[in-house]
Amino acid sequence: MADNTTTDNTAPKGLNFVEQIVFDDLAAGKNGGRLNTRFPPEPNGYLHIGHVKAFCMDFGVAEKFGGTCNLRFDDTNPVKEDVEYVDSIREDIRWMGFDWGDREYYASDYFPQLYDLAKRLIKEGKAYVDDQSSEEIAAQKGSPTVPGQESPYRNRTPEENLDLFERMNAGEFEEGSRVLRAKIDMASPNMHFRDPIMYRIIKTPHHRTGTTWKVYPMYDFAHGQSDYFEGVTHSICTLEFEVHRPLYEYFVKELADESYCPRQIEFNRLNLTYTVMSKRKLLQLVKENLVNGWDDPRMPTVCGMRRRGYTPQSIRNFIDAIGYTKYEALNSVSLLEHAVREDLNKIATRAMAVLNPVKVVIDNYPEGKVETVTMENNPEQEGSGTHEMPFSREIYIEREDFMENPPKKFFRLAPGNEVRLKGAYIIKCESVEKDENGNITTIHCTYDPETRSGLPGAARKVKGTLHWVSAQHAVDAEVRLYDRLFNVENPSAEADRDFRDLLNPDSLKVVQNVKVEPFIADNARRGEKFQFQRIGYFTPDYDSTPDHLVFNRTIALKDSWEKAKDK
Ligand code: ATP
Ligand code: MG
């Protein structure tokens, strides 16, 4: 050993409270110095950004302190679960940049051990079969201040209980007719100790175990033991499980000893403004076609965010920024959007597209002539190179960039005004053509041939610079503009209103006949990230084909929503 003989037990700076606990446990040599976490999704829906907060912690803390993290599918309810969800969960975690190697487990793998443990508890007089309905059981629960009532079946003999439990699993009894309960304490101040249900009868086949089992363990009986069977040392979950912790510990003690015992730690869930995060509600949006599937770009799901063009890095940056605490909070979705913008600003390729085109004819530019101008791909990224863009006599600009009777300080195009076409010439508006309704159909301009970059007049200053595309070279595209899915800041807090009535009717706006420069069309591959200059960040949608280009607006350049609120 080196001359430094003392172990350095000083925690690294900036640990959050979960990391601090893990650090202290490792320093104290608990569990033989092992660190093993797990992420335990139930495969009954797609992962959302709340789950991301959870697995960034599970995988993140393991990475930080040299441990491992298991992916465990908590598949204890065959009624709601499906392999479709298993596959999507795997894909989404990988996309976020985490890897569980060969440590993929299923709670259903532990059904035999759990069943054996249940039988042991029955034999030891610690569990009994209750023939009452779930309503009757609930009615006897009492309240935190009023003790519950004991079930009339509570004092069955172990032999009778064992026989009934085995017959429950053999399929002899109907769903809901009997349950197995832990015999703990109907007067406990902790409601979860009032003879919690351990097993119920379910006859729906399971996506992995088929019809082998007719009894299925409840969360509280499955989770801690699954942790134990897997060797999990730190079982990190959200605050609502804090009240379950004594029960977690109660069941785990039936298995564990001093040499190894899993420990549950709780942190605050992620809640986002203008968003619902409940899987039940998200499923409802999908099932009722209120959105276009789990990966609708307006959904807070990982696949939705991916389709919309969010990057894994931006999501992780957001999760880092909000942190982990013991206090419930509602986080602003603007913070997430800010993180998305920041990351895309670094990586997105700059290009030109005109969303609401009006034609400009440059009358003194030679007919049939085409020049190419060179555009920087990304001034924020060294080595990102340039691309060429055609310039010709007829171009499109944004309708909003022209005003016939502009107010003062309108520095875009107007009669007699000069603007620079980004990367190309300075043009001046000479006249407009209108249709019979007075709508402008064509803007006539002249250009100053000396003002192209590299020429003497290039330095000439004008106040406005516009994006544009060459009319004959432009490619048509469809663009989908997204706004927040809900109209109210905290949809889940509106207890007296159906959350579906709180949907924002303008959350999706489809724009056709968008004109994009050829470079965009040539590079419209899935996953590509563009900044359409002066408009926002865009990515090709999955629906996009070479014959019908479709782009999602990931996010506008600026937070227009926040600005609108300030007014
Ligand atoms: P449910 O159990 O109602 O189906 P769930 O969202 O809890 O929904 P799980 O699959 O059980 O779904 O979640 C897996 C893990 O993700 C759990 O450890 C849970 O605590 C965590 N998690 C779920 N929602 C959030 C959230 N909004 N913020 C942080 N963690 C979350
Ligand atoms: Mg859950």
Side-chain angles (χ1 to χ4, degrees):
M1 268 189 96
D3 31 328
N4 180 3
T5 46
T6 52
T7 325
D8 184 8
N9 278 358
T10 339
K13 286 224 158 41
L15 296 186
N16 63 46
F17 82 97
V18 180
E19 293 168 337
Q20 185 65 52
I21 292 173
V22 169
F23 177 86
D24 291 344
D25 283 353
L26 288 173
K30 284 193 189 164
N31 305 305
R34 272 190 323 109
L35 169 61
N36 193 174
T37 57
R38 90 286 169 265
F39 174 60
E42 182 177 356
N44 63 352
Y46 282 66
L47 295 183
H48 55 58
I49 190 166
H51 297 117
V52 175
K53 175 171 178 177
F55 69 68
C56 281
M57 168 56 79
D58 299 328
F59 284 98
V61 74
E63 259 170 31
K64 195 165 209 160
F65 297 111
T68 49
C69 178
N70 302 349
L71 171 60
R72 182 199 316 141
F73 290 100
D74 190 14
D75 55 347
T76 52
N77 183 1
V79 180
K80 292 189 180 158
E81 296 160 6
D82 200 277
V83 277
E84 173 196 348
Y85 301 129
V86 171
D87 294 340
S88 73
I89 289 169
R90 286 200 195 106
E91 182 184 2
D92 290 348
I93 300 173
R94 283 209 189 94
W95 181 71
M96 281 301 302
F98 296 107
D99 186 7
W100 56 97
D102 57 1
R103 292 178 307 282
E104 179 171 311
Y105 302 103
Y106 293 80
S108 55
D109 292 341
Y110 312 126
F111 285 169
Q113 287 119 294
L114 290 169
Y115 187 71
D116 288 347
L117 175 63
K119 289 204 291 190
R120 194 185 99 200
L121 295 181
I122 291 173
K123 286 181 200 155
E124 292 172 2
K126 295 175 184 164
Y128 62 97
V129 172
D130 194 333
D131 297 358
Q132 301 182 100
S133 67
S134 54
E135 291 77 21
E136 286 167 313
I137 292 172
Q140 293 164 357
K141 266 253 141 135
S143 73
T145 49
V146 180
Q149 282 164 256
E150 294 190 354
S151 161
Y153 301 94
R154 195 171 198 260
N155 294 314
R156 277 176 160 154
T157 62
E159 293 71 31
E160 192 186 355
N161 282 319
L162 201 56
D163 173 63
L164 285 171
F165 185 52
E166 283 174 346
R167 285 163 60 200
M168 279 166 66
N169 193 40
E172 272 187 46
F173 308 122
E174 289 315 303
E175 289 187 8
S177 63
R178 287 183 166 83
V179 291
L180 183 72
R181 295 177 72 178
K183 189 171 178 176
I184 309 181
D185 179 4
M186 286 306 289
S188 171
N190 183 331
M191 299 287 287
H192 295 279
F193 270 41
R194 297 187 183 176
D195 291 10
I197 296 173
M198 293 162 59
Y199 271 93
R200 62 203 153 149
I201 302 171
I202 297 177
K203 301 220 168 152
T204 307
H206 187 278
H207 65 101
R208 295 189 86 235
T209 58
T211 54
T212 308
W213 303 94
K214 305 287 185 301
V215 290
Y216 286 87
M218 302 296 289
Y219 174 87
D220 282 320
F221 188 65
H223 203 84
Q225 286 84 292
S226 300
D227 285 342
Y228 179 82
F229 298 139
E230 258 165 44
V232 166
T233 56
H234 296 83
S235 185
I236 307 163
C237 59
T238 36
L239 279 177
E240 70 271 23
F241 293 105
E242 197 163 17
V243 287
H244 294 247
R245 196 194 322 142
L247 187 56
Y248 176 100
E249 290 168 353
Y250 172 92
F251 282 131
V252 156
K253 278 208 188 84
E254 293 291 339
L255 300 163
D257 59 27
E258 307 84 68
S259 68
Y260 158 55
C261 185
R263 170 176 187 179
Q264 180 181 303
I265 307 164
E266 312 84 13
F267 65 83
N268 63 332
R269 356 175 12 101
L270 169 59
N271 301 299
L272 273 186
T273 54
Y274 302 98
T275 310
V276 300
M277 212 80 92
S278 138
K279 274 200 269 188
R280 184 180 56 77
K281 289 179 182 165
L282 296 177
L283 180 65
Q284 211 173 342
L285 293 176
V286 173
K287 286 254 156 86
E288 294 175 13
N289 294 316
L290 296 167
V291 294
N292 303 313
W294 283 101
D295 66 353
D296 186 303
R298 294 165 293 179
M299 291 279 272
T301 50
V302 176
C303 55
M305 294 188 290
R306 174 163 65 236
R307 183 167 185 173
R308 178 149 172 175
Y310 286 17
T311 58
Q313 190 59 54
S314 61
I315 300 169
R316 282 174 80 160
N317 291 347
F318 165 70
I319 299 287
D320 281 348
I322 59 171
Y324 296 82
T325 74
K326 277 277 185 189
Y327 307 98
E328 287 300 356
L330 179 62
N331 295 107
S332 170
V333 73
S334 296
L335 220 57
L336 170 61
E337 292 167 347
H338 174 74
V340 171
R341 243 179 234 117
E342 262 198 340
D343 193 44
L344 288 176
N345 182 44
K346 288 188 203 136
I347 63 166
T349 304
R350 274 57 172 174
M352 294 213 239
V354 177
L355 258 58
N356 183 15
V358 63
K359 187 171 273 183
V360 172
V361 178
I362 302 162
D363 291 311
N364 62 338
Y365 193 86
E367 240 170 286
K369 180 174 176 181
V370 178
E371 291 177 77
T372 53
V373 298
T374 303
M375 297 292 180
E376 252 186 304
N377 285 337
N378 189 345
E380 302 288 322
Q381 197 185 67
E382 235 177 279
S384 60
T386 58
H387 68 269
E388 311 265 88
M389 187 173 157
F391 179 82
S392 65
R393 187 169 189 265
E394 296 194 357
I395 62 170
Y396 292 113
I397 64 166
E398 254 4 290
R399 205 165 268 281
E400 292 78 16
D401 283 338
F402 176 80
M403 275 185 99
E404 206 177 2
N405 300 301
K408 262 190 205 156
K409 300 210 168 161
F410 181 82
F411 299 125
R412 291 170 278 167
L413 200 59
N417 243 17
E418 281 192 324
V419 294
R420 177 176 292 280
L421 296 173
K422 187 166 173 67
Y425 298 97
I426 290 175
I427 58 169
K428 180 179 181 185
C429 172
E430 307 289 352
S431 64
V432 296
E433 274 177 55
K434 294 180 184 176
D435 64 14
E436 63 277 17
N437 301 317
N439 298 319
I440 293 165
T441 52
T442 308
I443 301 166
H444 287 274
C445 293
T446 51
Y447 83 118
D448 178 347
E450 291 301 312
T451 52
R452 213 192 128 158
S453 83
L455 299 180
R460 189 148 81 75
K461 291 264 181 298
V462 287
K463 286 218 162 124
T465 301
L466 305 187
H467 63 279
W468 54 276
V469 293
S470 162
Q472 74 178 101
H473 302 94
V475 180
D476 282 340
E478 170 185 323
V479 152
R480 300 177 184 168
L481 304 174
Y482 302 102
D483 200 345
R484 287 157 190 183
L485 190 51
F486 289 91
N487 260 333
V488 297
E489 193 168 44
N490 190 1
S492 309
E494 309 272 328
D496 52 339
R497 292 184 65 189
D498 187 319
F499 81 104
R500 291 166 296 185
D501 296 337
L502 308 171
L503 285 165
N504 172 9
D506 302 317
S507 59
L508 169 61
K509 206 171 126 199
V510 177
V511 186
Q512 302 288 357
N513 296 317
V514 169
K515 305 288 182 186
V516 305
E517 64 162 296
F519 174 79
I520 294 176
D522 294 343
N523 290 282
R525 291 176 296 265
R526 197 184 266 209
E528 209 66 39
K529 307 283 187 285
F530 294 103
Q531 185 197 87
F532 291 180
Q533 304 235 30
R534 298 178 62 223
I535 303 176
Y537 295 101
F538 289 78
T539 195
D541 185 70
Y542 300 168
D543 291 340
S544 191
T545 66
D547 295 331
H548 182 77
L549 297 173
V550 183
F551 295 92
N552 293 320
R553 185 175 68 188
T554 308
I555 191 92
L557 275 191
K558 296 208 180 72
D559 189 346
S560 56
W561 185 285
E562 288 298 313
K563 263 194 282 171
K565 261 200 330 201
D566 291 345
K567 273 183 193 154

